[in-house]
Amino acid sequence: MELNNKRLPLEGIKIVDLTRVLSGPFCTALLSDLGADIIKVEPPAGDEYRHVGPFKEGESALFTLMNRNKKGVVADLKNSSHLARVLELASDADVFVENFKPGVAERLGVGYEAVKAVNPDIIYASISGFGQSGENSQLPAYDLVVQAMSGMMAITGEKDGEPTKVGESIADLVAGLYASWAILAALFDRQRSGEGVHLDIAMLDCLFSLMPTPVAQWMFGGEAPGRVGNRHPLSTPFGSFSAQNGQVIIAVLNNRQFTALCGAMDQPTIAEDSRFCSDEERTRHEPELRDLIETWLARHSVESAIDILAAAGIPSSPVLGMGEALTNARHGERQLLPTQHHPRLGDIPMMAQPVRASSWKTSAPQTAPTLGEHNDELFDQ
């Protein structure tokens, strides 16, 4: 259901999607939100995410979220007639996306050269764990493996604790995000050059690119950084602090904010202490400063502390539980979980791309396809 009469920027763009699980489907879901026509090609057994819970009436929540707004066909690529039909779908497509292990698409007859042969201007995106070539290219690449190999796990967690994974499949998601970004850049470039391109998106590369802070520490500090828990490794006080009934986030990035924090705590002289005269000195003396802040917070609930800090212009927040965050996303003004009508499940919340644009229309997400739902329309002709 269209909610206004504005346009979507990718209307008329056709994408053949041979991806499964998370990184590739997330990429194409983002593009579908912008109006692209996505044809999802699945093997006879379906995308693996169809079989991963939680389920409701046999429908996978993860599959539903990641495959919104798509049409779906089933093809056995080892069947020559099915392969020919997939290549026919690709022949007038703008984009072809796959996230097989490197070499598999070629063996199945849908590698870059095979698709380029039927569509010379194709934008062909390959998403993998470690890239299309190199010594690690054939390694299995689940998100947890990539998080471990990227260094992100090594800098996540308490200082004296174990390396800790991020609480979401961040390597898969950032690879999908970068893939969508690269596809958009390639579409723009093709308008000027008239040429297609093969995009090589590696989960490891993408995740590593999200770590400028540890890279900066290593560049000029000479040593690889370790874990520091919930505080910022370079700025202080910038982290999580204990109040009477929970944790308060305080994020101070400069001397002006620190002076305001000291005033909010009714201890303005702390700002004049030589141990706390600069961000670097505050970080060097972080334990002493933490004691002073948490002594003050011990007299306050999270709610009252946030009120005081907000009045002083200090960036701060409570640490919300996921339930609270979901409620805010569902019912807040930004509508991060708009309603989708599912033919079997009725009205359900659905994720959508979060960017707002003044001239783009907003549409309610459409349900993910059932297995082979659009074969009659697109494939068995």
Side-chain angles (χ1 to χ4, degrees):
M1 177 184 68
E2 291 184 4
L3 303 181
N4 57 53
N5 59 6
K6 298 178 182 179
R7 68 184 182 275
L8 281 173
L10 296 186
E11 287 175 343
I13 297 296
K14 177 181 176 182
I15 299 176
V16 178
D17 176 8
L18 266 70
T19 68
R20 72 266 188 239
V21 187
L22 186 52
S23 61
F26 181 60
C27 163
T28 52
L30 292 174
L31 299 172
S32 79
D33 290 331
L34 299 181
D37 181 16
I38 312 293
I39 302 173
K40 183 178 178 69
V41 181
E42 298 181 71
D47 184 329
E48 293 94 320
Y49 253 24
R50 288 189 182 273
H51 312 292
V52 176
F55 299 101
K56 184 175 181 180
E57 297 186 23
E59 300 288 339
S60 163
L62 282 167
F63 182 85
T64 299
L65 287 171
M66 291 298 99
N67 292 283
R68 59 188 182 267
N69 305 321
K70 302 177 186 180
K71 295 182 177 180
V73 299
V74 168
D76 180 358
L77 294 176
K78 296 178 182 179
N79 179 308
S80 60
S81 64
H82 285 203
L83 173 60
R85 189 68 187 96
V86 170
L87 290 174
E88 186 178 343
L89 288 174
S91 67
D92 65 350
D94 295 284
V95 181
F96 192 99
V97 190
E98 58 89 9
N99 65 345
F100 294 114
K101 188 176 178 180
V104 171
E106 286 74 14
R107 291 196 294 273
L108 291 172
V110 290
Y112 174 57
E113 294 300 331
V115 174
K116 185 180 178 183
V118 300
N119 187 342
D121 300 330
I122 195 71
I123 294 165
Y124 188 108
S126 296
I127 305 171
S128 64
F130 305 101
Q132 296 299 299
S133 61
E135 61 179 353
N136 291 331
S137 63
Q138 296 302 306
L139 293 178
Y142 285 111
D143 178 89
L144 184 60
V145 172
V146 176
Q147 286 200 40
M149 292 186 67
S150 71
M152 184 167 280
M153 280 182 66
I155 61 168
T156 305
E158 293 300 324
K159 181 177 181 179
D160 299 321
E162 296 294 324
T164 304
K165 81 176 193 70
V166 176
E168 179 47 283
S169 297
I170 187 68
D172 275 304
L173 294 170
V174 71
L177 184 60
Y178 268 112
S180 68
W181 167 84
I183 287 167
L184 293 174
L187 286 167
F188 179 72
D189 180 63
R190 191 175 63 183
Q191 286 186 328
R192 299 188 299 180
S193 69
E195 297 180 355
V197 67
H198 186 190
L199 302 169
D200 177 0
I201 301 104
M203 291 166 62
L204 181 64
D205 300 353
C206 294
L207 188 57
F208 186 80
S209 76
L210 293 190
M211 296 189 288
T213 301
V215 170
Q217 291 175 270
W218 167 80
M219 279 175 61
F220 292 167
E223 293 183 1
R227 294 179 294 283
V228 294
N230 286 330
R231 71 176 180 86
H232 195 283
L234 299 176
S235 292
T236 303
F238 204 110
S240 178
F241 300 85
S242 297
Q244 284 180 350
N245 60 337
Q247 296 290 306
V248 174
I249 298 299
I250 298 175
V252 167
L253 197 60
N254 53 51
N255 287 344
R256 177 185 58 78
Q257 291 176 335
F258 183 64
T259 298
L261 172 64
C262 295
M265 296 193 301
D266 291 325
Q267 299 182 67
T269 57
I270 293 176
E272 301 169 7
D273 191 314
S274 62
R275 295 174 298 171
F276 311 132
C277 62
S278 68
D279 202 21
E280 185 177 18
E281 288 300 315
R282 289 192 291 273
T283 299
R284 183 175 292 115
H285 296 95
E286 192 272 342
E288 299 101 301
L289 184 53
R290 173 174 292 275
D291 285 343
L292 290 169
I293 293 171
E294 292 190 332
T295 297
W296 172 71
L297 285 172
R299 304 194 300 270
H300 296 279
S301 66
V302 169
E303 296 76 16
S304 67
I306 295 297
D307 288 343
I308 294 169
L309 294 167
I314 310 296
S316 58
S317 73
V319 179
L320 297 183
M322 197 63 212
E324 294 173 274
L326 287 165
T327 297
N328 291 344
R330 182 80 170 112
H331 301 293
E333 293 180 359
R334 300 291 289 183
Q335 288 291 293
L336 299 180
L337 291 171
T339 297
Q340 163 196 323
H341 183 76
H342 193 283
R344 290 182 59 189
L345 306 178
D347 289 342
I348 59 174
M350 175 58 55
M351 298 179 79
Q353 71 87 18
V355 177
R356 304 291 186 265
S358 60
S359 58
W360 297 354
K361 68 184 177 183
T362 303
S363 299
Q366 301 301 303
T367 185
T370 58
L371 186 60
E373 179 178 344
H374 298 95
N375 270 52
D376 289 343
E377 175 188 344
L378 299 170
F379 199 72
D380 295 333
Q381 298 177 355

